[in-house]
């Protein structure tokens, strides 16, 4: 039986779909005023079919890649099965749910600031468009976890992670993120990294799936930050998406 889970897609696919829709509307308008209506209609039908095939292939490749990335993150974690895990910016819960399936006696906490009350209000239009368009919110994460029979193994918490994390120090064996840190403004990034260090246990681990570079974002800043406070770090480049990486850092006891 196929589950009706919804985990969202990259923001680039929004623009792809919007641009495609606008293009088709313009073609339809052109065909209405054109003298060769039947020929134009045939061309539009061909383009529509081609467009939907492209979208289907894109989503198919993306879903496969996302699963491969999750599996790599799980492999790097080398889990024992009793870890307390924190997933930052959990969105629709894909990473949190994936990790909850491979631990027996531990617990996963997924944190995000968006829930069903989030609206596009203009303060960060494109970010909130991405959240609302793909329903990357905590209520969707809870629904997905329920469908995957993992709701009892995951605690979903609403919190703005650009402020102090709502957890005590040294609470987690593993801290995860997937495309979360690059969304943090540069003036808040070091504060977020400090909070990550605070909540992870001595000898704990960090595993982040992030872009290498994006506008002012650079994963090397994160690497240098954690190395400066005594972490051993690694950056694993992904073959299929060379601009993305898996960042791994292990905390040394102090």
């Amino acid at each position: 039986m196929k589950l009706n889970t919804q985990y969202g897609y990259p923001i680039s696919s929004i623009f792809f779909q919007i641009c495609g829709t606008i293009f088709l509307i313009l073609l339809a308008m052109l065909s209405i005023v054109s003298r060769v209506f039947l020929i134009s209609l045939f061309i539009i039908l061909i383009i529509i079919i081609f467009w939907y095939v492209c979208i289907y292939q894109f989503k198919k490749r993306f879903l496969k890649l996302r699963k491969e990335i999750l599996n790599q993150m799980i492999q790097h974690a080398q889990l024992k099965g009793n870890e307390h895990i924190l997933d930052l910016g959990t969105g629709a819960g894909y990473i949190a749910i994936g990790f909850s399936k491979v631990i027996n006696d531990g617990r996963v906490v997924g944190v995000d600031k968006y829930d069903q009350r989030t609206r596009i209000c203009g303060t960060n239009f494109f970010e909130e468009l991405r959240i609302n368009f793909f329903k990357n919110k905590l209520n969707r994460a809870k629904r997905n976890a329920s469908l995957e029979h993992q709701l009892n193994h995951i605690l979903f918490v609403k919190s703005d992670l650009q402020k102090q994390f709502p957890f005590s120090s040294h609470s987690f064996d593993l801290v995860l993120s997937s495309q979360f840190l690059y969304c943090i403004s540069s003036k808040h990034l070091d504060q977020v990294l400090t909070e990550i260090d605070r909540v992870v246990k001595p000898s704990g681990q960090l595993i982040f799936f992030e872009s290498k570079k994006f506008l002012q974002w650079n994963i090397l800043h994160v690497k240098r930050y954690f190395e400066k406070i005594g972490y051993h770090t690694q950056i694993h480049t992904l073959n299929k998406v060379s601009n993305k990486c898996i960042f791994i850092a292990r905390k040394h006891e102090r």
Side-chain angles (χ1 to χ4, degrees), residues 2-13:
K2 185 178 180 180
L3 296 176
N4 191 28
T5 52
Q6 296 180 17
Y7 291 111
Y9 296 93
I11 192 170
S12 58
S13 64

Side-chain angles (χ1 to χ4, degrees), residues 1 23 29 34 41-42 71 116 123 171 181 188 237-238 249:
M1 181 178 177
F23 180 66
M29 294 174 63
S34 173
L41 183 61
F42 176 75
N71 289 337
Q116 66 270 22
T123 56
S171 300
L181 290 176
H188 290 114
T237 299
L238 302 172

Side-chain angles (χ1 to χ4, degrees), residues 21-33:
T21 301
I22 293 173
F23 180 66
L24 291 174
I25 291 173
L26 291 175
L27 278 178
M29 294 174 63
L30 181 63
S31 68
I32 291 173
V33 300

Side-chain angles (χ1 to χ4, degrees), residues 1-7 97 101 143-149:
M1 181 178 177
K2 185 178 180 180
L3 296 176
N4 191 28
T5 52
Q6 296 180 17
Y7 291 111
I97 293 169
K101 291 179 179 179
R143 181 177 182 276
N144 288 333
S146 178
L147 290 170
E148 300 266 15
H149 305 292

Side-chain angles (χ1 to χ4, degrees), residues 4-11 13-14 66 89-94 97 112-120 126-145 156:
N4 191 28
T5 52
Q6 296 180 17
Y7 291 111
Y9 296 93
I11 192 170
S13 64
I14 293 177
R66 182 167 61 186
T90 194
Y94 184 75
I97 293 169
D112 207 290
K113 69 176 182 178
Y114 296 105
D115 62 9
Q116 66 270 22
R117 293 185 295 274
T118 304
R119 297 291 183 268
I120 298 176
F126 289 107
E127 175 66 10
E128 294 190 9
L129 174 63
R130 178 178 69 85
I131 297 300
N132 285 275
F133 188 87
F134 289 129
K135 303 185 185 301
N136 287 324
K137 305 178 184 180
L138 290 175
N139 55 306
R140 176 63 62 179
K142 292 176 182 178
R143 181 177 182 276
N144 288 333
F156 289 109

